[in-house]
Amino acid sequence: MSANGHKWLNDVQWDEQGLVPVIAQDFATGDVLMFAWMNRDALARTAESGEAVYWSRSRRRLWFKGEESGHVQRVREIRLDCDNDVILLKIEQVGGIACHTGRRSCFFQKLLSDGQWDTVDPVIKDPKEIYK
């Protein structure tokens, strides 16, 4: 995935903050693992390195997925939706954990018919062991 010239970045519809929403999907299973944001630099670096780089809105800096946890996302495909305003990364999740809570996916809460949120996916590894 060459980022040479970065002309392809101009096809992305960036929002007012210069960001685009990104969905990370397991390449093998199709499971949605997480949602994040990218700016131009993050998307260019992702394409160049083959590993997911996001924009952390809370830290106001590039966030190299796995920089603290070791749970890197190896990018197999980068896709752009029909409106050019959402990125889909098809990834291999190193360590099988995408969420900072130590779960496989960030989407581990399910709305029940009684209006309550139920935690339906287990913690694979205690975050205290991941983030030291």
Side-chain angles (χ1 to χ4, degrees):
M1 285 177 271
S2 175
N4 292 344
H6 298 143
K7 285 183 180 176
W8 56 273
L9 289 169
N10 296 332
D11 295 329
V12 177
Q13 297 298 308
W14 306 96
D15 73 7
E16 312 78 51
Q17 288 85 44
L19 302 175
V20 66
V22 182
I23 299 163
Q25 180 184 43
D26 186 289
F27 183 80
T29 66
D31 292 344
V32 174
L33 301 181
M34 59 176 268
F35 169 86
W37 297 90
M38 283 184 178
N39 62 8
R40 284 179 75 95
D41 193 25
L43 184 52
R45 287 177 185 231
T46 296
E48 289 165 356
S49 70
E51 293 184 350
V53 180
Y54 299 106
W55 175 255
S56 172
R57 294 183 304 164
S58 60
R59 292 176 269 190
R60 310 265 333 130
R61 68 169 178 83
L62 290 178
W63 160 40
F64 294 77
K65 177 66 176 159
E67 65 190 9
E68 292 176 52
S69 66
H71 299 144
V72 172
Q73 292 177 342
R74 292 194 187 109
V75 178
R76 299 284 294 272
E77 291 181 11
I78 300 175
R79 295 191 179 204
L80 185 60
D81 81 330
C82 57
D83 294 324
N84 289 12
D85 62 359
V86 179
I87 298 288
L88 175 66
L89 296 183
K90 294 192 173 215
I91 57 108
E92 290 176 51
Q93 180 62 63
V94 174
I97 297 171
C99 186
H100 75 281
T101 66
R103 291 177 173 86
R104 173 170 158 65
S105 169
C106 295
F107 298 97
F108 58 86
Q109 299 176 93
K110 179 180 174 182
L111 184 61
L112 302 177
S113 59
D114 65 1
Q116 300 295 311
W117 291 104
D118 186 30
T119 299
V120 294
D121 295 335
V123 171
I124 297 170
K125 189 171 185 179
D126 187 328
K128 290 185 196 91
E129 295 175 35
I130 298 171
Y131 304 98
K132 296 183 179 175

